[in-house]
Amino acid sequence: MVNIFRSYNPIVILWLAVLVFVLRIGYLVNTPDRLEFIFVESFSRLLVPVSYEYALSPFFNVLLATLLVFIQALLLNTMVNYFNLLNKPSYMPALMYITVSALFTPFLRLSAPLICNFLVIWLMYKLFSLYKGTEVKSTCYDLGLIVALGSLIYLPFSWIFLVVFIAIIIFRPFNWREWAAVIIGYATVFFFLAVVYFYNDRLNRFSSIWLPLGGKFPTSISINNYTYVLLVPVAVILVLSVYKLQQGFFKSYVHIRKSFQLLVAYFLVAGLAFYVKTEFQLNHFLLCAIPVAITFAYYFLHATSRWFYETLYLLLVAGIIYFQFNTF
């Protein structure tokens, strides 16, 4: 099945559409009676002065999330092929994103991290464009805006600010104006938010927005046992992907090498930012789905033993569907 997506035939999009529903069939059949959807942080709730948390039925919630994942998969695939990150065009990034974003049931519903992945794709496109840009101060300003917008939706996204600066270090010679443009872009959004606070006579609460960023890192995380079972094939594929990347790393163009370095930095920062939320939620790790999907795509696109990679992928898909029907 994987071999179908190694080509760049547009007809493959139909197979992607089928697969995105197949990987969510168990949750669509056994949709919970009530699902909450919060797409802005409490401090930016003034910008959305209506009650929306339970406006969608649970089934439509999951259905809309499925549609968003499909759109994100196509956008991600277009970006990866545009920058030639995998050395040849295919629909493998889209396949891997659809798969990774279905790993756990919290991933299958509408959530702030899922919405933020649109911003992550936009952010990555602009970050990868820094390498060949000559005058990029406007791009840097846009990057600050994107991170700020993501922060209004999901506060842990604020830590992606570090990723932007890491990208500038990786792709650009030092220019303080570019760094300043990022800061100004970020500050612009929060300046207008401060105006809203002032208009609503709440300016005294504005400084408390970033307090969670300074919280203590948790010493333990509670995760269901079945989650660890699903992580076994994920870990195997990740190890194989890293090994495959290492084999061709120094044979790749400089831009591709730098791009994968950036993806590693993003994965680490986004993954560790979960502590900002006082209550741990597994759907936070949707923010890590994009770099993982690109890395997995590299392995499945360049692997040579067909029976092995096909079997490995089928085991992962079988595990995803099985645990949707059996949550224990």
Side-chain angles (χ1 to χ4, degrees), residues 45-65:
R45 195 66 177 78
L46 290 172
L47 303 175
V48 190
V50 292
S51 179
Y52 67 88
E53 289 81 358
Y54 296 99
L56 299 175
S57 67
F59 180 80
F60 189 70
N61 182 304
V62 178
L63 195 63
L64 184 56

Side-chain angles (χ1 to χ4, degrees), residues 24 36 77 82 96 170 189 197-198 251 287 296 325:
R24 287 153 176 81
E36 183 182 38
N77 199 85
Y82 178 79
M96 291 299 113
I170 292 175
V189 172
Y197 266 66
F198 176 77
K251 299 177 184 178
L287 290 178
F296 282 12
F325 283 100

Side-chain angles (χ1 to χ4, degrees), residues 174-280:
F174 178 75
N175 184 336
W176 69 269
R177 293 178 179 85
E178 295 172 1
W179 291 62
V182 176
I183 297 172
I184 294 171
Y186 186 86
T188 299
V189 172
F190 280 93
F191 170 78
F192 286 107
L193 182 63
V195 172
V196 175
Y197 266 66
F198 176 77
Y199 181 78
N200 288 272
D201 198 26
R202 296 187 183 183
L203 194 58
N204 58 327
R205 302 182 189 178
F206 185 73
S207 60
S208 63
I209 289 175
W210 295 277
L211 289 180
L213 297 177
K216 293 183 178 179
F217 201 81
T219 56
S220 62
I221 303 173
S222 177
I223 301 179
N224 293 334
N225 289 333
Y226 87 88
T227 301
Y228 293 108
V229 176
L230 267 179
L231 287 177
V232 172
V234 172
V236 172
I237 297 172
L238 187 60
V239 170
L240 292 172
S241 301
V242 172
Y243 176 72
K244 183 63 72 172
L245 269 169
Q246 180 268 333
Q247 283 185 321
F249 186 75
F250 292 104
K251 299 177 184 178
S252 304
Y253 292 110
V254 174
H255 181 250
I256 294 176
R257 296 204 299 267
K258 288 178 178 289
S259 297
F260 275 100
Q261 290 171 4
L262 175 62
L263 289 173
V264 171
Y266 171 84
F267 175 80
L268 294 174
V269 173
L272 293 174
F274 73 89
Y275 82 94
V276 174
K277 288 290 186 179
T278 54
E279 182 181 349
F280 173 73

Side-chain angles (χ1 to χ4, degrees), residues 115-133:
I115 302 299
C116 281
N117 271 352
F118 280 107
L119 297 178
V120 174
I121 295 171
W122 188 17
L123 186 84
M124 286 296 174
Y125 178 86
K126 286 187 172 291
L127 290 176
F128 293 149
S129 300
L130 290 176
Y131 181 66
K132 293 184 178 180

Side-chain angles (χ1 to χ4, degrees), residues 26 44 50 54 60 74 88-89 91 95 98 109-111 113 134-135 138 142 145 161 175 182 218 228 241 256 286 297:
S44 53
V50 292
Y54 296 99
F60 189 70
L74 295 180
K88 57 181 177 180
Y91 281 97
L95 172 67
I98 285 173
R109 62 190 70 154
L110 285 174
S111 63
T134 53
E135 184 60 41
S138 61
D142 292 341
L145 285 176
F161 205 69
N175 184 336
V182 176
Y228 293 108
S241 301
I256 294 176
L286 265 174

